[in-house]
Amino acid sequence: MRRDARTFLLVALALFAAGCEGVQSALAPEGVHAERSAFLFWAMTIGGTLIFAALIVLTGFALLAPRRSRQWMTQESLLIGAGVVFPVVTLSVLLTYGFIVTGRPVSGDGEPRPIEIAVDGRRWWWSVTYRDEDNRPVVSANELRIPAGRPVAIKLTSPDVIHSFWIPKLAGKLDMIPGRVNLLTLNARRVGVMRGQCAEYCGGAHALMAFNVVVMAPEAFEAWLRRERASALEPADALAQQGKALFFATGCNACHSIRGAAAASELGPDLTHVGGRTSIGAATLGVDKANFARWIRDNQHIKPGNLMPAYGIFTPGQLDALASYLAGLH
């Protein structure tokens, strides 16, 4: 029994520790908002634990101590102070502190103007629009890239249903509401890759509606944005060229955009530089040729309920060609 109890305790501690790390842990903050939320969480958790422990001690004392030793616990002043005044004061202080901490703006007067990025929550993917130095839109999908150490203003909306934008390591949740633009300011401390997701049920494929956040050095971000605004390169080999022809012949351009390739639909994710992203299918699969082929053929098994039909019409050779074309779109 003692060994079983020890094993259970070790497993519980290991699971608790594992939940404090990872690419999607709010307890391992990498941004200003997330640091404030994490501090508030720990302050309330530790404070609540201490109060709970004190109540257990007092309850044990009331039950087990001699009657004469516990008579002081029946005083009216103690009941009013501990039962009314203490909870009201403590909760009021915590509520006020929470409003101050979470409501304080991230960027101050001396900091540069925030970079603006528009994110639209779709069923069940993300459209991301940057602006270059000439204020021209640069459209991407299912991935957010931001510079480290710079405030970034994320404009959130949705054209269909309510979604909720959440990057646990950077900030709290904020809803994406059709007809309304909500603003969330991020400020990442250091470079790295973390994960975000839709945090409000939005329909069939909600559980697989995620995205990667790539935090880059400011110079690297500017260089990436210059490359990102360019049109897609022409296929370099015969197999990829065959894949490009199939892309248009089978109607893929009816849903997807590829800048410079006469595909301009906004029904599905922009694919201009899809081969250079960290994932496809809204963080469902990694980016490589094999996963492109899997997604085209079996996407309804990989991400049930998404709005792209499974394409079983391609022969293995055609699928290989189409996957080669998409994987080469850097």
Side-chain angles (χ1 to χ4, degrees), residues 267-280:
L267 290 177
D270 184 287
L271 301 179
T272 303
H273 300 295
V274 65
R277 296 173 192 160
T278 57
S279 71
I280 58 175

Side-chain angles (χ1 to χ4, degrees), residues 210-267:
F211 59 97
N212 288 328
V213 183
V214 182
V215 183
M216 313 173 73
E219 301 80 10
F221 173 79
E222 295 297 336
W224 170 84
L225 188 58
R226 286 192 296 270
R227 296 192 301 270
E228 188 72 10
R229 73 182 179 184
S231 297
L233 296 175
E234 286 297 315
D237 57 69
L239 186 64
Q241 290 170 2
Q242 180 188 348
K244 180 179 179 180
L246 280 169
F247 184 89
F248 289 94
T250 55
C252 301
N253 59 315
C255 293
H256 297 285
S257 295
I258 298 179
R259 291 190 297 277
S265 176
E266 296 182 357
L267 290 177

Side-chain angles (χ1 to χ4, degrees), residues 235 237-253 256 258 271 274-275 288-297 308 311-329:
D237 57 69
L239 186 64
Q241 290 170 2
Q242 180 188 348
K244 180 179 179 180
L246 280 169
F247 184 89
F248 289 94
T250 55
C252 301
N253 59 315
H256 297 285
I258 298 179
L271 301 179
V274 65
D288 59 36
K289 182 178 173 180
N291 279 335
F292 277 111
R294 283 185 62 203
W295 177 260
I296 295 168
R297 184 185 61 244
M308 177 178 171
Y311 282 84
I313 61 173
F314 296 113
T315 66
Q318 290 175 325
L319 198 61
D320 186 49
L322 191 53
S324 295
Y325 171 57
L326 294 174
L329 292 175

